[in-house]
Amino acid sequence: DNGDMIDALSLKQLYFIKNKLNDCFMKHDILTKSLNKLNECVNYKVNDRECEWEGWSADDIVEWILQLENGRFKPYEDTLRQELNDGDATGAILPHLDISDWRKSFSIKNWKDATDLNRYKNILVTNKKEEVDVNEENIMAVHEYPSPFDPAEEGADTK
């Protein structure tokens, strides 16, 4: 029982443990803030790259599919990679794919999987950055968010 063990400690030992625990909590807080900032940076970059889907390579398309729903579509990786690379596909083909393409060209026989992939693809291509007329400087393109990083910070340039 922890209570009996703690009761046996001297005041000096209790203060020592208390200070060590406080140090751990402070380090945990700093680490949590750093991880949150890193997560924000990664999400910002992912969002930015997803807006550039038209220029994706075949492997980029496959990597995007593999990350959907925590890897749900991993069983199709080899076929997707083979078919997309054999056809020298780029992201520009995405708007032209439909459920029958997923089923026939990529051998995704499961209707739900083919339907869901098509739905995810439609979400991706409709969230593309819009071209902004240079005369309309105050309009932000879809998915164009200010960077969460202070430009003065070391390593803030993520490009």
Side-chain angles (χ1 to χ4, degrees), residues 23 32 35 48 56 73 80 82 90 111 121-123 138-139:
D23 287 347
T32 298
L35 288 173
D48 199 42
W56 283 359
F73 302 103
L80 287 165
Q82 174 89 34
T90 66
W111 276 99
K121 180 267 308 180
N122 288 339
I123 292 168
N138 294 332
I139 299 176

Side-chain angles (χ1 to χ4, degrees), residues 44 46-48 50-51 123-124 126-130 140-146:
Y44 176 81
V46 164
N47 184 66
D48 199 42
E50 284 182 351
C51 288
I123 292 168
L124 177 74
T126 56
N127 285 336
K128 183 183 176 300
K129 279 186 182 175
E130 296 174 355
M140 291 181 82
V142 174
H143 284 274
E144 189 172 304
Y145 304 108

Side-chain angles (χ1 to χ4, degrees), residues 36-46 148-149 158:
N36 285 336
K37 194 166 192 175
L38 178 60
N39 187 50
E40 193 174 346
C41 174
V42 169
N43 286 336
Y44 176 81
K45 278 302 187 183
V46 164
F149 307 100
T158 58

Side-chain angles (χ1 to χ4, degrees), residues 99-112:
I99 295 171
S100 66
D101 293 317
W102 295 111
R103 289 182 46 80
K104 293 177 183 163
S105 299
F106 304 113
S107 302
I108 298 173
K109 302 300 181 199
N110 181 294
W111 276 99
K112 179 166 178 33

Side-chain angles (χ1 to χ4, degrees), residues 55-108:
W56 283 359
S57 67
D59 287 327
D60 291 335
I61 296 169
V62 175
E63 293 306 320
W64 172 74
I65 291 170
L66 295 179
Q67 64 80 38
L68 295 170
E69 292 189 31
N70 296 314
R72 170 181 163 197
F73 302 103
K74 179 104 172 99
Y76 305 113
E77 178 178 7
D78 293 339
T79 303
L80 287 165
R81 207 171 291 282
Q82 174 89 34
E83 293 299 320
L84 289 167
N85 278 306
D86 282 355
D88 293 322
T90 66
I93 68 153
L94 290 172
H96 307 287
L97 295 177
D98 60 24
I99 295 171
S100 66
D101 293 317
W102 295 111
R103 289 182 46 80
K104 293 177 183 163
S105 299
F106 304 113
S107 302
I108 298 173

Side-chain angles (χ1 to χ4, degrees), residues 2-18:
N2 285 342
D4 291 339
M5 186 173 65
I6 291 173
D7 285 342
L9 297 174
S10 70
L11 186 57
K12 181 179 178 180
Q13 290 170 320
L14 288 169
Y15 280 135
F16 176 81
I17 292 170
K18 179 182 176 186

